[in-house]
Amino acid sequence: MTTATIQQPILVSQPMPIAKSKTTCFHCHDTITEKPILFADKSFCCEGCKTVYQILDENNLCTFYTLDVNAGTTQKGKTPQYAYMDDAETVSKIVDYQDDSTTRVTFLLPSMHCASCIWLLENLHRIDPAIFNSKVNFLKREVTILFSNQEIKLRRIAEILASIGYAPEINFNDVENEGEVPIDRTIYYKLGVAFFAFGNIMLLSFPEYLGLDASLERGFAKFFGYINLVLATPVLLYSSRDYLVSAWQGVKQQTLNIDIPLSLGIIALYGRSAFEILTHTGAGYMDSFAGLIFFLLSGKWFQQKTFNHLSFERDYKSYFPVAANVRREGREVPTPINKLQIGEIITVRNGELVPADGVILRGDARMDYSFVTGEADPVSKKSGDKVFAGGRQMGSSVDITLTKRVSQSYLTELWNNEAFKTAKKSHISYLADRAGRYFTGVILLVSMVAFFYWLPQDMGKAINAATAVLIVACPCAVALAIPFTMGNILRILGRHEFYVKNTQVIENFERIDAVVFDKTGTITERLKNEVSFVNTSHSDNLDSAKSQILSVVRHSNHPLSIQIAEYLKDSPFVDITDYEEVIGKGVQANANQQLVKVGSAEFIGEKAQSDPSVKGVFVSIDDLVIGYFDMKPTYRTGFQQIINTFKTAGKDVFILSGDNEKERPFLAQFLTDKFLNFNQTPSDKLNFIKKLQSQGQKVLMIGDGLNDAGALQQSDIGVVISENTNNFSPACDAILKADQFPKLPEFLHLSKMGSVIVNRAYLIALCYNIVGLSYAVSSNLSPVVAAILMPLSSVTIVLFGVLTGNYMARRLEK
């Protein structure tokens, strides 16, 4: 191992030049031992003081860390190191996805708490360009990061987060077992310290409250003051540490977060009180200081408890209404994804999603990981290869044995990948973003103006006014209105099996003025159609043909293919090759060395189109049409009422169908010809949505997520109807279980009311800040009252949003 000598001493954690010669430690001047190091290549360790030296680049720049061997971590300045992340097996347990060039990981960040945190964490690419993007889940205090593993390692990602004040919390029990929201118990300890100090300081200040301090001996007054100072110091150094550290990290990163004015108020209140006690010029305000921290932490605790409740119910109690096909006793059994177990074998058809990590047992896969990484090029996988959750199979079906349980929260994160749909933010989100960005600067300015206004008249009033302004002003009410109100509505909808992607979708429902329905599998039942086969080949023995047809269509997830497979389920399978599915037209493959085609007349060929009066799903073997499947659809209960509800609300309602016009007479009872469109290819559906949008309409598209994926993605909001199948599509914004289809208008009404509730919460927050700042700048608001009002405003917004949403949702229970 190469050794090095420090040429010149410089400050801790700063890069330094080194020479490749005899090595001495900069700290203790002992010889650095030449031995392997636990943390990274090109590292040198001092046996005496446990300082690690690490070469950073070819120019021999070096940085050093102080090593704590017992903890298994190092310290670079005050940044925790994550040495165990150099181990490949450990990394495989932490990351969500990894290939030769790209890694995706999700970290829990307990320190995240305000709008400024979100802005900073979603701009990590500015710190290191090897980070492609980062996305925050504020409700769960998580950040998901996609980065180049050729340019930066996972350990460095964790170190970057720690260096800006968001040290990741990694619990390997949570890595192995999902189902319990991690709890940050340090807030209970900090609350306990603050409460103990607050109560005792108030007790020692009791004579002062009653105006009896003058009758006390001067020695006792000083003694009580010193005790108050001793009691308050742990509150400053421990209980308020998160606020102070966050503010300092914001200063270092040259960003203004909400903790900066709060920390200035904390330091000013403590410093002024300590000065009065030590100089014997007053009793100080240590009771106000301890009360400030206690009430701030109380509000934070309430937010954390509510966050955990909303997050737990959405991620662990309400699941996507999606099923996977589990192989049991030679049969495929549709099973809800939350009931899948490690070791079970599932069949994944063309276009279906892999719900959890696993290993391929049968078949060759072409996995489209664009759902995970945003890259659309399929990755070839063979039997024995590992596949990751979120991959979409493109080709014939494969059997996969699961090596992990389904992670509902991970699928939700993938679903929110901005690569699939980036909607413009609504006015309420835009207002929250601007409040978080500019509020801190405005408050600092108001505080300074108040201080200098009162300074010529009374120093005490000047400090009181400035401190009260810093403490009472709170943009958190604006920042919390959307995640709590909309998050609660997401939870309520999920409980009723309408699973919405994120709060942005909830906000956008109020803007919809056109509704477009796909027909097959959307307004019709997926598995309840009447199916019959019309033989046009004049052959009485079709057993071999039925086996060939079944063996081809069973690889497709299209509703018509599933119905045909169910109709032919008693026929045996045969091996197939060269499977191909042409979206919106049909499927084909070689079965028993014959080319089998199943699909539309156009897909089959000219012979199938010779009689335009014949309508159905045609079959040809070696280009010879042998017949067609006649499908009589069963319409979903309540679809007529839904159409009428939307029409009554002034929405334009359209139906798009890839099928022929066989159902036009029936549907014409509810919509005129202008709103009925048949023989629509996937590109026709996409162009139809674009046409409506070019006319200024905001479009809600409702489909099955198969041959209408492009239209779903193009629409302003796309909703997929799920009926015991694995049709989870990244193109959609919401998934509705088919059983809940009749309640769709009520779900949309509740979503619209969410925006109304948020706007009212903004009004409450505005009134609070105007009234609070008015009293603060006039020096009529004591710091301890400001300390009570500040968290109380946040609690009020949270309660208002959650309780009002629950009240609005009562009609769904009927």
Side-chain angles (χ1 to χ4, degrees), residues 489 493 498 506 509-510 645-646 649 651 700 743-757 805 807-812:
I489 290 177
L493 294 177
F498 183 41
I506 297 287
F509 272 124
E510 67 171 339
T645 299
F646 282 128
K651 315 294 185 187
L700 167 64
K743 290 186 177 181
L744 182 59
E746 296 176 19
F747 292 150
L748 300 187
H749 174 75
L750 177 61
S751 300
K752 293 177 185 177
M753 291 307 300
S755 296
V756 174
I757 296 170
Y807 176 79
M808 296 290 184
R810 289 186 308 167
R811 59 190 297 181
L812 296 179

PDB file of all heavy atoms in Angstrom, residues 489 493 498 506 509-510 645-646 649 651 700 743-757 805 807-812:
ATOM      1  N   ILE A 489     -56.704  13.342   2.255  1.00  0.00           N
ATOM      2  CA  ILE A 489     -57.652  12.937   1.206  1.00  0.00           C
ATOM      3  C   ILE A 489     -57.101  11.746   0.426  1.00  0.00           C
ATOM      4  O   ILE A 489     -57.847  10.819   0.069  1.00  0.00           O
ATOM      5  CB  ILE A 489     -57.961  14.135   0.285  1.00  0.00           C
ATOM      6  CG1 ILE A 489     -58.803  15.154   1.058  1.00  0.00           C
ATOM      7  CG2 ILE A 489     -58.687  13.686  -0.977  1.00  0.00           C
ATOM      8  CD1 ILE A 489     -59.113  16.411   0.303  1.00  0.00           C
ATOM      9  N   LEU A 493     -59.205   8.285   0.089  1.00  0.00           N
ATOM     10  CA  LEU A 493     -59.488   7.680  -1.212  1.00  0.00           C
ATOM     11  C   LEU A 493     -58.867   6.292  -1.302  1.00  0.00           C
ATOM     12  O   LEU A 493     -59.477   5.350  -1.826  1.00  0.00           O
ATOM     13  CB  LEU A 493     -58.960   8.576  -2.336  1.00  0.00           C
ATOM     14  CG  LEU A 493     -59.660   9.934  -2.489  1.00  0.00           C
ATOM     15  CD1 LEU A 493     -58.989  10.755  -3.577  1.00  0.00           C
ATOM     16  CD2 LEU A 493     -61.142   9.755  -2.803  1.00  0.00           C
ATOM     17  N   PHE A 498     -59.517   3.797  -4.245  1.00  0.00           N
ATOM     18  CA  PHE A 498     -59.202   4.720  -5.336  1.00  0.00           C
ATOM     19  C   PHE A 498     -57.832   5.292  -4.993  1.00  0.00           C
ATOM     20  O   PHE A 498     -57.728   6.198  -4.170  1.00  0.00           O
ATOM     21  CB  PHE A 498     -60.258   5.822  -5.452  1.00  0.00           C
ATOM     22  CG  PHE A 498     -60.031   6.778  -6.603  1.00  0.00           C
ATOM     23  CD1 PHE A 498     -59.617   6.325  -7.839  1.00  0.00           C
ATOM     24  CD2 PHE A 498     -60.248   8.141  -6.435  1.00  0.00           C
ATOM     25  CE1 PHE A 498     -59.415   7.205  -8.901  1.00  0.00           C
ATOM     26  CE2 PHE A 498     -60.051   9.035  -7.487  1.00  0.00           C
ATOM     27  CZ  PHE A 498     -59.635   8.564  -8.719  1.00  0.00           C
ATOM     28  N   ILE A 506     -54.604  15.414  -6.927  1.00  0.00           N
ATOM     29  CA  ILE A 506     -55.789  15.879  -6.194  1.00  0.00           C
ATOM     30  C   ILE A 506     -56.075  17.338  -6.536  1.00  0.00           C
ATOM     31  O   ILE A 506     -57.227  17.726  -6.771  1.00  0.00           O
ATOM     32  CB  ILE A 506     -55.562  15.736  -4.676  1.00  0.00           C
ATOM     33  CG1 ILE A 506     -55.365  14.265  -4.294  1.00  0.00           C
ATOM     34  CG2 ILE A 506     -56.726  16.333  -3.898  1.00  0.00           C
ATOM     35  CD1 ILE A 506     -56.596  13.435  -4.345  1.00  0.00           C
ATOM     36  N   PHE A 509     -57.731  17.914 -10.127  1.00  0.00           N
ATOM     37  CA  PHE A 509     -59.084  17.433 -10.438  1.00  0.00           C
ATOM     38  C   PHE A 509     -60.061  18.594 -10.631  1.00  0.00           C
ATOM     39  O   PHE A 509     -61.011  18.491 -11.420  1.00  0.00           O
ATOM     40  CB  PHE A 509     -59.597  16.515  -9.330  1.00  0.00           C
ATOM     41  CG  PHE A 509     -59.222  15.070  -9.517  1.00  0.00           C
ATOM     42  CD1 PHE A 509     -58.530  14.383  -8.530  1.00  0.00           C
ATOM     43  CD2 PHE A 509     -59.569  14.391 -10.669  1.00  0.00           C
ATOM     44  CE1 PHE A 509     -58.183  13.055  -8.690  1.00  0.00           C
ATOM     45  CE2 PHE A 509     -59.228  13.057 -10.842  1.00  0.00           C
ATOM     46  CZ  PHE A 509     -58.530  12.386  -9.851  1.00  0.00           C
ATOM     47  N   GLU A 510     -59.848  19.697  -9.926  1.00  0.00           N
ATOM     48  CA  GLU A 510     -60.792  20.809 -10.014  1.00  0.00           C
ATOM     49  C   GLU A 510     -60.759  21.504 -11.370  1.00  0.00           C
ATOM     50  O   GLU A 510     -61.670  22.249 -11.706  1.00  0.00           O
ATOM     51  CB  GLU A 510     -60.499  21.827  -8.913  1.00  0.00           C
ATOM     52  CG  GLU A 510     -59.176  22.554  -9.064  1.00  0.00           C
ATOM     53  CD  GLU A 510     -59.024  23.701  -8.078  1.00  0.00           C
ATOM     54  OE1 GLU A 510     -60.065  24.166  -7.586  1.00  0.00           O
ATOM     55  OE2 GLU A 510     -57.883  24.114  -7.829  1.00  0.00           O
ATOM     56  N   THR A 645     -74.027  12.163 -14.633  1.00  0.00           N
ATOM     57  CA  THR A 645     -73.497  13.064 -13.602  1.00  0.00           C
ATOM     58  C   THR A 645     -72.495  14.033 -14.193  1.00  0.00           C
ATOM     59  O   THR A 645     -72.534  15.248 -13.911  1.00  0.00           O
ATOM     60  CB  THR A 645     -72.833  12.251 -12.470  1.00  0.00           C
ATOM     61  OG1 THR A 645     -73.811  11.396 -11.873  1.00  0.00           O
ATOM     62  CG2 THR A 645     -72.258  13.178 -11.412  1.00  0.00           C
ATOM     63  N   PHE A 646     -71.600  13.529 -15.024  1.00  0.00           N
ATOM     64  CA  PHE A 646     -70.607  14.396 -15.649  1.00  0.00           C
ATOM     65  C   PHE A 646     -71.267  15.389 -16.607  1.00  0.00           C
ATOM     66  O   PHE A 646     -70.890  16.569 -16.662  1.00  0.00           O
ATOM     67  CB  PHE A 646     -69.563  13.573 -16.395  1.00  0.00           C
ATOM     68  CG  PHE A 646     -68.525  12.942 -15.509  1.00  0.00           C
ATOM     69  CD1 PHE A 646     -68.253  11.582 -15.592  1.00  0.00           C
ATOM     70  CD2 PHE A 646     -67.817  13.697 -14.588  1.00  0.00           C
ATOM     71  CE1 PHE A 646     -67.300  10.995 -14.781  1.00  0.00           C
ATOM     72  CE2 PHE A 646     -66.859  13.123 -13.770  1.00  0.00           C
ATOM     73  CZ  PHE A 646     -66.603  11.765 -13.861  1.00  0.00           C
ATOM     74  N   ALA A 649     -72.859  18.158 -14.717  1.00  0.00           N
ATOM     75  CA  ALA A 649     -71.862  19.079 -14.177  1.00  0.00           C
ATOM     76  C   ALA A 649     -71.230  19.955 -15.257  1.00  0.00           C
ATOM     77  O   ALA A 649     -70.327  20.751 -14.955  1.00  0.00           O
ATOM     78  CB  ALA A 649     -70.770  18.297 -13.450  1.00  0.00           C
ATOM     79  N   LYS A 651     -69.583  18.866 -18.035  1.00  0.00           N
ATOM     80  CA  LYS A 651     -68.390  18.286 -18.657  1.00  0.00           C
ATOM     81  C   LYS A 651     -68.753  17.681 -20.016  1.00  0.00           C
ATOM     82  O   LYS A 651     -69.842  17.114 -20.188  1.00  0.00           O
ATOM     83  CB  LYS A 651     -67.775  17.189 -17.780  1.00  0.00           C
ATOM     84  CG  LYS A 651     -67.661  17.525 -16.295  1.00  0.00           C
ATOM     85  CD  LYS A 651     -66.695  18.643 -16.030  1.00  0.00           C
ATOM     86  CE  LYS A 651     -66.526  18.866 -14.534  1.00  0.00           C
ATOM     87  NZ  LYS A 651     -65.715  20.060 -14.217  1.00  0.00           N
ATOM     88  N   LEU A 700     -59.715  14.541 -18.466  1.00  0.00           N
ATOM     89  CA  LEU A 700     -59.618  13.362 -17.613  1.00  0.00           C
ATOM     90  C   LEU A 700     -59.853  12.148 -18.491  1.00  0.00           C
ATOM     91  O   LEU A 700     -60.908  12.012 -19.097  1.00  0.00           O
ATOM     92  CB  LEU A 700     -60.673  13.423 -16.496  1.00  0.00           C
ATOM     93  CG  LEU A 700     -60.916  12.131 -15.699  1.00  0.00           C
ATOM     94  CD1 LEU A 700     -59.671  11.718 -14.931  1.00  0.00           C
ATOM     95  CD2 LEU A 700     -62.106  12.296 -14.754  1.00  0.00           C
ATOM     96  N   LYS A 743     -68.731   4.971  -7.653  1.00  0.00           N
ATOM     97  CA  LYS A 743     -68.470   6.088  -6.751  1.00  0.00           C
ATOM     98  C   LYS A 743     -67.515   7.126  -7.348  1.00  0.00           C
ATOM     99  O   LYS A 743     -67.143   8.081  -6.663  1.00  0.00           O
ATOM    100  CB  LYS A 743     -67.872   5.582  -5.434  1.00  0.00           C
ATOM    101  CG  LYS A 743     -68.841   4.810  -4.565  1.00  0.00           C
ATOM    102  CD  LYS A 743     -68.209   4.467  -3.227  1.00  0.00           C
ATOM    103  CE  LYS A 743     -69.182   3.753  -2.305  1.00  0.00           C
ATOM    104  NZ  LYS A 743     -68.568   3.440  -0.990  1.00  0.00           N
ATOM    105  N   LEU A 744     -67.120   6.965  -8.599  1.00  0.00           N
ATOM    106  CA  LEU A 744     -66.124   7.856  -9.203  1.00  0.00           C
ATOM    107  C   LEU A 744     -66.501   9.335  -9.082  1.00  0.00           C
ATOM    108  O   LEU A 744     -65.657  10.159  -8.686  1.00  0.00           O
ATOM    109  CB  LEU A 744     -65.898   7.473 -10.668  1.00  0.00           C
ATOM    110  CG  LEU A 744     -64.855   8.295 -11.417  1.00  0.00           C
ATOM    111  CD1 LEU A 744     -63.485   8.201 -10.745  1.00  0.00           C
ATOM    112  CD2 LEU A 744     -64.768   7.845 -12.881  1.00  0.00           C
ATOM    113  N   PRO A 745     -67.747   9.750  -9.390  1.00  0.00           N
ATOM    114  CA  PRO A 745     -68.078  11.178  -9.250  1.00  0.00           C
ATOM    115  C   PRO A 745     -67.903  11.687  -7.820  1.00  0.00           C
ATOM    116  O   PRO A 745     -67.467  12.822  -7.607  1.00  0.00           O
ATOM    117  CB  PRO A 745     -69.543  11.251  -9.696  1.00  0.00           C
ATOM    118  CG  PRO A 745     -69.724  10.077 -10.599  1.00  0.00           C
ATOM    119  CD  PRO A 745     -68.864   9.004  -9.991  1.00  0.00           C
ATOM    120  N   GLU A 746     -68.225  10.852  -6.822  1.00  0.00           N
ATOM    121  CA  GLU A 746     -68.064  11.274  -5.429  1.00  0.00           C
ATOM    122  C   GLU A 746     -66.591  11.415  -5.073  1.00  0.00           C
ATOM    123  O   GLU A 746     -66.209  12.327  -4.329  1.00  0.00           O
ATOM    124  CB  GLU A 746     -68.752  10.258  -4.507  1.00  0.00           C
ATOM    125  CG  GLU A 746     -70.254  10.188  -4.703  1.00  0.00           C
ATOM    126  CD  GLU A 746     -70.884   9.100  -3.850  1.00  0.00           C
ATOM    127  OE1 GLU A 746     -70.239   8.659  -2.876  1.00  0.00           O
ATOM    128  OE2 GLU A 746     -72.015   8.695  -4.155  1.00  0.00           O
ATOM    129  N   PHE A 747     -65.753  10.531  -5.589  1.00  0.00           N
ATOM    130  CA  PHE A 747     -64.316  10.650  -5.351  1.00  0.00           C
ATOM    131  C   PHE A 747     -63.783  11.969  -5.921  1.00  0.00           C
ATOM    132  O   PHE A 747     -62.974  12.657  -5.288  1.00  0.00           O
ATOM    133  CB  PHE A 747     -63.571   9.478  -5.988  1.00  0.00           C
ATOM    134  CG  PHE A 747     -63.842   8.151  -5.349  1.00  0.00           C
ATOM    135  CD1 PHE A 747     -63.782   6.983  -6.099  1.00  0.00           C
ATOM    136  CD2 PHE A 747     -64.157   8.055  -4.004  1.00  0.00           C
ATOM    137  CE1 PHE A 747     -64.022   5.748  -5.513  1.00  0.00           C
ATOM    138  CE2 PHE A 747     -64.405   6.831  -3.413  1.00  0.00           C
ATOM    139  CZ  PHE A 747     -64.338   5.676  -4.165  1.00  0.00           C
ATOM    140  N   LEU A 748     -64.224  12.296  -7.121  1.00  0.00           N
ATOM    141  CA  LEU A 748     -63.747  13.531  -7.754  1.00  0.00           C
ATOM    142  C   LEU A 748     -64.250  14.759  -7.003  1.00  0.00           C
ATOM    143  O   LEU A 748     -63.533  15.768  -6.895  1.00  0.00           O
ATOM    144  CB  LEU A 748     -64.192  13.579  -9.220  1.00  0.00           C
ATOM    145  CG  LEU A 748     -63.692  12.430 -10.116  1.00  0.00           C
ATOM    146  CD1 LEU A 748     -64.049  12.693 -11.572  1.00  0.00           C
ATOM    147  CD2 LEU A 748     -62.195  12.233  -9.978  1.00  0.00           C
ATOM    148  N   HIS A 749     -65.464  14.688  -6.475  1.00  0.00           N
ATOM    149  CA  HIS A 749     -66.002  15.812  -5.699  1.00  0.00           C
ATOM    150  C   HIS A 749     -65.173  16.033  -4.432  1.00  0.00           C
ATOM    151  O   HIS A 749     -64.837  17.180  -4.094  1.00  0.00           O
ATOM    152  CB  HIS A 749     -67.459  15.539  -5.323  1.00  0.00           C
ATOM    153  CG  HIS A 749     -68.046  16.573  -4.407  1.00  0.00           C
ATOM    154  ND1 HIS A 749     -68.411  17.838  -4.845  1.00  0.00           N
ATOM    155  CD2 HIS A 749     -68.318  16.548  -3.064  1.00  0.00           C
ATOM    156  CE1 HIS A 749     -68.874  18.543  -3.826  1.00  0.00           C
ATOM    157  NE2 HIS A 749     -68.835  17.784  -2.733  1.00  0.00           N
ATOM    158  N   LEU A 750     -64.813  14.951  -3.747  1.00  0.00           N
ATOM    159  CA  LEU A 750     -63.988  15.078  -2.550  1.00  0.00           C
ATOM    160  C   LEU A 750     -62.627  15.671  -2.900  1.00  0.00           C
ATOM    161  O   LEU A 750     -62.089  16.508  -2.150  1.00  0.00           O
ATOM    162  CB  LEU A 750     -63.811  13.709  -1.892  1.00  0.00           C
ATOM    163  CG  LEU A 750     -62.900  13.671  -0.660  1.00  0.00           C
ATOM    164  CD1 LEU A 750     -63.447  14.567   0.439  1.00  0.00           C
ATOM    165  CD2 LEU A 750     -62.736  12.241  -0.156  1.00  0.00           C
ATOM    166  N   SER A 751     -62.060  15.260  -4.032  1.00  0.00           N
ATOM    167  CA  SER A 751     -60.767  15.802  -4.459  1.00  0.00           C
ATOM    168  C   SER A 751     -60.844  17.304  -4.692  1.00  0.00           C
ATOM    169  O   SER A 751     -59.944  18.057  -4.309  1.00  0.00           O
ATOM    170  CB  SER A 751     -60.305  15.094  -5.736  1.00  0.00           C
ATOM    171  OG  SER A 751     -60.157  13.708  -5.515  1.00  0.00           O
ATOM    172  N   LYS A 752     -61.928  17.747  -5.312  1.00  0.00           N
ATOM    173  CA  LYS A 752     -62.100  19.182  -5.539  1.00  0.00           C
ATOM    174  C   LYS A 752     -62.229  19.940  -4.226  1.00  0.00           C
ATOM    175  O   LYS A 752     -61.703  21.050  -4.078  1.00  0.00           O
ATOM    176  CB  LYS A 752     -63.346  19.432  -6.399  1.00  0.00           C
ATOM    177  CG  LYS A 752     -63.223  18.922  -7.824  1.00  0.00           C
ATOM    178  CD  LYS A 752     -64.535  19.137  -8.579  1.00  0.00           C
ATOM    179  CE  LYS A 752     -64.470  18.534  -9.965  1.00  0.00           C
ATOM    180  NZ  LYS A 752     -65.760  18.679 -10.691  1.00  0.00           N
ATOM    181  N   MET A 753     -62.918  19.349  -3.260  1.00  0.00           N
ATOM    182  CA  MET A 753     -63.075  20.011  -1.963  1.00  0.00           C
ATOM    183  C   MET A 753     -61.729  20.152  -1.264  1.00  0.00           C
ATOM    184  O   MET A 753     -61.547  21.041  -0.426  1.00  0.00           O
ATOM    185  CB  MET A 753     -64.037  19.213  -1.083  1.00  0.00           C
ATOM    186  CG  MET A 753     -65.482  19.248  -1.559  1.00  0.00           C
ATOM    187  SD  MET A 753     -66.090  20.949  -1.805  1.00  0.00           S
ATOM    188  CE  MET A 753     -65.900  21.625  -0.157  1.00  0.00           C
ATOM    189  N   GLY A 754     -60.769  19.293  -1.591  1.00  0.00           N
ATOM    190  CA  GLY A 754     -59.441  19.427  -1.008  1.00  0.00           C
ATOM    191  C   GLY A 754     -58.817  20.769  -1.322  1.00  0.00           C
ATOM    192  O   GLY A 754     -58.214  21.413  -0.448  1.00  0.00           O
ATOM    193  N   SER A 755     -58.952  21.228  -2.560  1.00  0.00           N
ATOM    194  CA  SER A 755     -58.414  22.536  -2.937  1.00  0.00           C
ATOM    195  C   SER A 755     -59.127  23.658  -2.195  1.00  0.00           C
ATOM    196  O   SER A 755     -58.503  24.654  -1.806  1.00  0.00           O
ATOM    197  CB  SER A 755     -58.546  22.742  -4.455  1.00  0.00           C
ATOM    198  OG  SER A 755     -57.766  21.797  -5.159  1.00  0.00           O
ATOM    199  N   VAL A 756     -60.433  23.504  -1.981  1.00  0.00           N
ATOM    200  CA  VAL A 756     -61.189  24.517  -1.234  1.00  0.00           C
ATOM    201  C   VAL A 756     -60.667  24.598   0.202  1.00  0.00           C
ATOM    202  O   VAL A 756     -60.460  25.692   0.753  1.00  0.00           O
ATOM    203  CB  VAL A 756     -62.692  24.179  -1.246  1.00  0.00           C
ATOM    204  CG1 VAL A 756     -63.464  25.146  -0.353  1.00  0.00           C
ATOM    205  CG2 VAL A 756     -63.242  24.212  -2.670  1.00  0.00           C
ATOM    206  N   ILE A 757     -60.432  23.429   0.811  1.00  0.00           N
ATOM    207  CA  ILE A 757     -59.934  23.396   2.195  1.00  0.00           C
ATOM    208  C   ILE A 757     -58.558  24.044   2.289  1.00  0.00           C
ATOM    209  O   ILE A 757     -58.277  24.815   3.219  1.00  0.00           O
ATOM    210  CB  ILE A 757     -59.882  21.939   2.704  1.00  0.00           C
ATOM    211  CG1 ILE A 757     -61.292  21.348   2.762  1.00  0.00           C
ATOM    212  CG2 ILE A 757     -59.222  21.870   4.081  1.00  0.00           C
ATOM    213  CD1 ILE A 757     -61.318  19.851   3.031  1.00  0.00           C
ATOM    214  N   GLY A 805     -61.434  17.514   6.023  1.00  0.00           N
ATOM    215  CA  GLY A 805     -61.422  16.460   5.000  1.00  0.00           C
ATOM    216  C   GLY A 805     -62.211  15.241   5.438  1.00  0.00           C
ATOM    217  O   GLY A 805     -62.964  14.654   4.650  1.00  0.00           O
ATOM    218  N   TYR A 807     -64.703  15.226   7.497  1.00  0.00           N
ATOM    219  CA  TYR A 807     -66.124  15.592   7.479  1.00  0.00           C
ATOM    220  C   TYR A 807     -66.670  15.515   6.050  1.00  0.00           C
ATOM    221  O   TYR A 807     -67.777  14.995   5.816  1.00  0.00           O
ATOM    222  CB  TYR A 807     -66.300  17.000   8.047  1.00  0.00           C
ATOM    223  CG  TYR A 807     -67.714  17.513   7.975  1.00  0.00           C
ATOM    224  CD1 TYR A 807     -68.671  17.111   8.911  1.00  0.00           C
ATOM    225  CD2 TYR A 807     -68.100  18.405   6.966  1.00  0.00           C
ATOM    226  CE1 TYR A 807     -69.971  17.583   8.834  1.00  0.00           C
ATOM    227  CE2 TYR A 807     -69.402  18.875   6.884  1.00  0.00           C
ATOM    228  CZ  TYR A 807     -70.331  18.463   7.818  1.00  0.00           C
ATOM    229  OH  TYR A 807     -71.622  18.925   7.733  1.00  0.00           O
ATOM    230  N   MET A 808     -65.894  16.019   5.090  1.00  0.00           N
ATOM    231  CA  MET A 808     -66.341  16.003   3.692  1.00  0.00           C
ATOM    232  C   MET A 808     -66.463  14.576   3.158  1.00  0.00           C
ATOM    233  O   MET A 808     -67.213  14.313   2.210  1.00  0.00           O
ATOM    234  CB  MET A 808     -65.353  16.792   2.817  1.00  0.00           C
ATOM    235  CG  MET A 808     -65.273  18.266   3.145  1.00  0.00           C
ATOM    236  SD  MET A 808     -66.783  19.134   2.674  1.00  0.00           S
ATOM    237  CE  MET A 808     -66.329  20.841   3.069  1.00  0.00           C
ATOM    238  N   ALA A 809     -65.703  13.643   3.748  1.00  0.00           N
ATOM    239  CA  ALA A 809     -65.669  12.275   3.224  1.00  0.00           C
ATOM    240  C   ALA A 809     -66.778  11.401   3.795  1.00  0.00           C
ATOM    241  O   ALA A 809     -66.874  10.220   3.432  1.00  0.00           O
ATOM    242  CB  ALA A 809     -64.310  11.643   3.529  1.00  0.00           C
ATOM    243  N   ARG A 810     -67.625  11.943   4.673  1.00  0.00           N
ATOM    244  CA  ARG A 810     -68.643  11.107   5.314  1.00  0.00           C
ATOM    245  C   ARG A 810     -69.593  10.459   4.310  1.00  0.00           C
ATOM    246  O   ARG A 810     -70.036   9.328   4.502  1.00  0.00           O
ATOM    247  CB  ARG A 810     -69.451  11.936   6.303  1.00  0.00           C
ATOM    248  CG  ARG A 810     -68.693  12.340   7.558  1.00  0.00           C
ATOM    249  CD  ARG A 810     -69.621  13.035   8.531  1.00  0.00           C
ATOM    250  NE  ARG A 810     -70.338  14.128   7.874  1.00  0.00           N
ATOM    251  CZ  ARG A 810     -71.403  14.750   8.404  1.00  0.00           C
ATOM    252  NH1 ARG A 810     -71.864  14.359   9.584  1.00  0.00           N
ATOM    253  NH2 ARG A 810     -71.998  15.731   7.758  1.00  0.00           N
ATOM    254  N   ARG A 811     -69.877  11.150   3.210  1.00  0.00           N
ATOM    255  CA  ARG A 811     -70.834  10.611   2.241  1.00  0.00           C
ATOM    256  C   ARG A 811     -70.302   9.351   1.554  1.00  0.00           C
ATOM    257  O   ARG A 811     -71.091   8.550   1.036  1.00  0.00           O
ATOM    258  CB  ARG A 811     -71.170  11.664   1.194  1.00  0.00           C
ATOM    259  CG  ARG A 811     -69.966  12.159   0.417  1.00  0.00           C
ATOM    260  CD  ARG A 811     -70.291  13.372  -0.433  1.00  0.00           C
ATOM    261  NE  ARG A 811     -71.288  13.064  -1.443  1.00  0.00           N
ATOM    262  CZ  ARG A 811     -71.720  13.956  -2.324  1.00  0.00           C
ATOM    263  NH1 ARG A 811     -71.271  15.206  -2.297  1.00  0.00           N
ATOM    264  NH2 ARG A 811     -72.622  13.621  -3.230  1.00  0.00           N
ATOM    265  N   LEU A 812     -68.967   9.160   1.554  1.00  0.00           N
ATOM    266  CA  LEU A 812     -68.407   7.969   0.934  1.00  0.00           C
ATOM    267  C   LEU A 812     -68.696   6.717   1.748  1.00  0.00           C
ATOM    268  O   LEU A 812     -68.621   5.595   1.237  1.00  0.00           O
ATOM    269  CB  LEU A 812     -66.882   8.117   0.780  1.00  0.00           C
ATOM    270  CG  LEU A 812     -66.389   9.232  -0.149  1.00  0.00           C
ATOM    271  CD1 LEU A 812     -64.864   9.255  -0.161  1.00  0.00           C
ATOM    272  CD2 LEU A 812     -66.926   9.037  -1.564  1.00  0.00           C
TER     273      LEU A 812
END
